[in-house]
Amino acid sequence: MLNRHHDPIVAIATANGRGAVGIVRVSGQALGPFIRHLLGRDLHPREATYLPFCDAKGQPIDRGLALFFPAPHSFTGEDVLELQAHGGPVVLQLLLARCLEAGAESDLVAQAPRLPNLRLARPGEFSERAFFNDKMDLTQAEAIADLIDASTEAAARSASRSMSGAFSQEIHALRDALIHLRMLVEATLDFPEEEIDFLRKADAHGQLSKLQQSVQTVQQRARQGALLREGIKVVIAGQPNAGKSSLLNALAGAELAIVTPIAGTTRDKVQQTIQIEGVPLHVIDTAGLRDSDDEVEKIGIAHAWDAIAGADAVLFLHDLTRMNATDYIADDALIAGALAQKLPSSVTIIDLWNKADVSVVAPADAALSLSAKTGAGLDALRRRLLEVAGWQSVPEGVYLARARHVQALRRVADHLAQAHTHLAANAQYLDLLAEELRLAQNALNEITGEFTSDDLLGVIFSKFCIGK
C-alpha cells in the first residue's frame, strides 16, 4: 500500500447526485505541466480562475473555476488542483475522465505521460495523504469523516473540536507527561545504586498519580464523545397491543409505525434514530412476543429476538390495563425469563407501563409509567435512557471519539495501574515499571497514529467518502 502513496490521484470530491456545484480534485507531485496541458494555461497559486474545461478535441465540457494549491500548503501536503464545475453527474464524470486521459497523454518533449500513474483515488485517500504528510494526525483525519456523518448538532460540534485538534492536544499532553516519567525511570536503570533516592526526589510517585488522574479525565470525555458518535441501540419489546408502535411514534414525534387495536399488527422491526440532548438513540419497534401459528408473524417474532440480542438497552413495555389479568401476567413472566436468559448483564432492561391515560391503577413497584398516546411520562423515560447510556450533561468541551480511542485509553489506564504497583515495590521491579510505561505510551501513540499498523490505517480510511 505504501508504494501507491506516491501515485497522483483524482476523484469527484462532492456527493453523488445533482447540485449547483461539483468538484473534481487532483493531488500529486509537480502538477504544473499537467495543469498547463489540461487547461491550456498556468494557474496562480490559491487564486480562482474562471475558464472553460475542454475535452481532448478542444470542445468545451463546461465553464467553471480552477484553483491550484502548491505543496506543501494544501489539504494533502502535495500539489492539489480543484476544478469547480456545475454539479451534474454527467459533467463531473466527463471532467474526471478528461483528467485521467490528460494524465496519460504523452509529453512530446519528455516522451512520457504528462502525469504518470494518475489513477482514481480510493475512499479516504486524500485524507490519508494529509495524514502521511503530517498535515493532521489520525484523530483529526477521523474527525473529518465524523463531521460528515454527524447525525446530531452536538455530534457535529464535537467532531469540529476534534478536527481542530482538541482531542489530539489532550493526548499529546498525556504523552509528554508520560515521556518525562519514563525518562526518570530509564535514568535510574543506568544508576541502580541511586535509583530509590533519585525517584523519590523527582516525586515519581506523585507524577504517576497525577498522570493517572489526567487519563481518567480524558477517558470520561472520550466515553461521552463515543456516545455522541455511536449512540445506543434501544429495542422496544413486549406482548402484542402493549403500545410498542405508539411509543416509537411518540419518541420520534412522527407516525412511523402502523397502530391498530388488532394484536400482531407489527410484523417486522421498524427503526428510527432520535436524539436526546444530542445523543443519538437508535430505537427499534418489534413484533409482539407471543406464541403464534401465523408463519409471517413467527418470522417477525424471530426478527424481534434478533434485534433484542443486539440491543444496548431493552424497553420491556407492559400494559397497565391488563396488569391484573392472570394470563397476561404469566406471559409477561415468560418474556422476562427469556430476556434474563438471553441477554448479558451489561444490557439494561427498563420496565415500562403504558396506557396510564386510561388506567386508574399504577405499577406497584414504582416502575416507570407513561402514556404513549398523550406523551405523559416521556420526559422521565428520556432521562432514564440518558442515564442508561452513561451520558452526563457536559456537552461543552467534549470531542468526538471512537470505540478504538476508548479501548486504547483503557489500556493506558491498565498499564499505568500496573506501573503504580511496580513503583510501590521500590527497586524490586523497576524494569517492569519501565516496560509498563513504554506500553502505555504505545497505546497513546495508537490514538494519534504515531504508532499504528498499516492494516488499521487501511480499515480506518476505507470508511471515508471517495474524494475525501
Side-chain angles (χ1 to χ4, degrees), residues 8-26:
I9 53 175
V10 59
I12 297 173
T14 42
N16 293 330
R18 299 169 60 194
V21 177
I23 298 174
V24 173
R25 178 183 289 165
V26 184

Side-chain angles (χ1 to χ4, degrees), residues 10 39 152 320 456:
V10 59
L39 302 178
T152 68
L320 274 173
L456 178 58

Side-chain angles (χ1 to χ4, degrees), residues 266-283:
T266 301
R267 296 298 185 98
D268 204 354
K269 59 186 180 184
V270 179
Q271 178 170 334
Q272 176 68 16
T273 297
I274 64 172
Q275 59 168 303
I276 304 175
E277 293 189 19
V279 179
L281 272 71
H282 314 291
V283 185

Side-chain angles (χ1 to χ4, degrees), residues 238-297:
Q239 294 189 54
N241 267 4
K244 297 183 295 300
S245 297
S246 297
L247 178 57
L248 172 65
N249 292 343
L251 287 170
E255 297 296 320
L256 301 174
I258 299 172
V259 177
T260 76
I262 302 171
T265 296
T266 301
R267 296 298 185 98
D268 204 354
K269 59 186 180 184
V270 179
Q271 178 170 334
Q272 176 68 16
T273 297
I274 64 172
Q275 59 168 303
I276 304 175
E277 293 189 19
V279 179
L281 272 71
H282 314 291
V283 185
I284 302 173
D285 173 30
T286 58
L289 303 176
R290 66 174 177 178
D291 290 329
S292 175
D293 295 327
D294 186 306
E295 288 299 321
V296 176
E297 187 178 1

